Amino acid sequence: MIPGARLILLGRQGAGKGTQCVRLSRHFVVPHISTGDMLRAAVREGTELGVMAKRVMDEGGLVGDEIMVGLVRERLSQPDAVGRGYILDGFPRTVGQAEALDIINSERPIDVVIDLDVPRELVLQRITARRVCRDCGTNYVATGNEHMPWICEVCGGDVMQRDDDTTEAIAHRLDLYEEQTSPLIEFYQRDGRLAIVDGVASPDEVFRRLTAAVEASRRPA
Ligand code: AMP
């Protein structure tokens, strides 16, 4: 176990980040902070933020930097994140968010940023088959042979396709990734905080590569 690790997992949507983050968070005993999950919780609760975010998410767009930075600032100030570190999933997504994050955690900087690299064509296939538990967020892969209604093995909730996993929204999200998020690779590469992990392998192998990258970053030079 690595106490107090602060990590960011970058990568295209559908690269398997969510599932790997859940495993990493158990392995390193640090909270998994997913801005997508935070927004989906706001949508379920029907808050003002949720109503606005649903519109943006269903189109595959990005919620504004100011709102996202405010959400993350508040979350990172919680005792669990301050004391145990965290894995950020889905944030930052723009250079503006990354700059704001450096200011928010200037006293406790990020240890390592991992880019989970999966080519666009492959994530397209994966997102199309992605199903998610509406209640606990567990991810599944549809094969077409499932019994309907599909019930989550973890919590008994309904397993469904995400509202934002339509063909148009997926294409829009992947375009936005190239335009707005991929510049973060260079942003973090510049000051030596980036590790690139090849995400084209079995989930167990990708997990092994990810933990090795985290451990290498925490080893004294
Ligand atoms: P995710 O669960 O990370 O795939 O996020 C789902 C959706 O939430 C994204 O397509 C965006 O619309 C929105 N979202 C999540 N995180 C961010 C962020 N850091 N900045 C802007 N929008 C976000």
Side-chain angles (χ1 to χ4, degrees):
M1 182 182 113
I2 300 184
R6 287 176 296 275
L7 322 172
I8 294 175
L9 201 56
L10 291 177
R12 292 187 174 82
Q13 286 179 315
K17 272 187 291 124
T19 314
Q20 293 292 349
C21 279
V22 171
R23 284 181 78 170
L24 288 170
S25 115
R26 289 194 190 125
H27 184 82
F28 292 120
V29 201
V30 296
H32 168 208
I33 299 179
S34 154
T35 45
D37 285 352
M38 288 162 79
L39 293 174
R40 280 183 288 276
V43 171
R44 277 198 300 274
E45 287 158 16
T47 61
E48 204 179 315
L49 167 68
V51 172
M52 181 279 292
K54 174 145 177 60
R55 221 178 29 240
V56 176
M57 289 162 86
D58 284 354
E59 286 169 1
L62 289 178
V63 175
D65 281 358
E66 208 174 313
I67 291 173
M68 296 311 302
V69 168
L71 271 181
V72 168
R73 181 186 293 114
E74 211 277 320
R75 181 63 188 87
L76 295 188
S77 70
Q78 301 292 315
D80 61 341
V82 173
R84 289 196 280 127
Y86 46 81
I87 301 177
L88 269 176
D89 170 14
F91 186 96
R93 258 184 163 93
T94 65
V95 171
Q97 292 179 9
E99 286 169 347
L101 180 63
D102 278 347
I103 295 170
I104 292 171
N105 61 13
S106 55
E107 283 174 21
R108 283 181 286 266
I110 293 291
D111 295 296
V112 65
V113 180
I114 299 178
D115 177 40
L116 184 58
D117 187 27
V118 177
R120 182 178 170 121
E121 301 68 46
L122 194 57
V123 295
L124 249 177
Q125 284 172 25
R126 286 189 189 171
I127 306 180
T128 310
R130 172 163 73 181
R131 300 293 180 273
V132 150
C133 171
R134 202 171 45 181
D135 293 337
C136 73
T138 300
N139 275 287
Y140 294 90
V141 179
T143 59
N145 296 325
E146 291 78 22
H147 285 293
M148 294 297 164
W150 189 345
I151 302 298
C152 176
E153 285 164 23
V154 177
C155 77
D158 288 324
V159 177
M160 12 204 6
Q161 187 154 32
R162 273 171 44 169
D163 288 344
D164 59 346
D165 278 350
T166 62
T167 316
E168 298 77 30
I170 294 168
H172 189 207
R173 290 207 307 262
L174 290 173
D175 288 345
L176 277 180
Y177 173 85
E178 306 306 334
E179 282 164 29
Q180 310 243 22
T181 309
S182 66
L184 291 178
I185 294 174
E186 207 197 312
F187 179 90
Y188 287 117
Q189 218 155 22
R190 244 181 279 147
D191 54 12
R193 282 183 285 178
L194 188 82
I196 296 178
V197 166
D198 180 358
V200 185
S202 69
D204 285 347
E205 172 57 17
V206 172
F207 180 66
R208 193 198 60 72
R209 292 176 188 173
L210 288 170
T211 48
V214 176
E215 271 149 21
S217 76
R218 302 273 295 180
R219 222 169 278 138

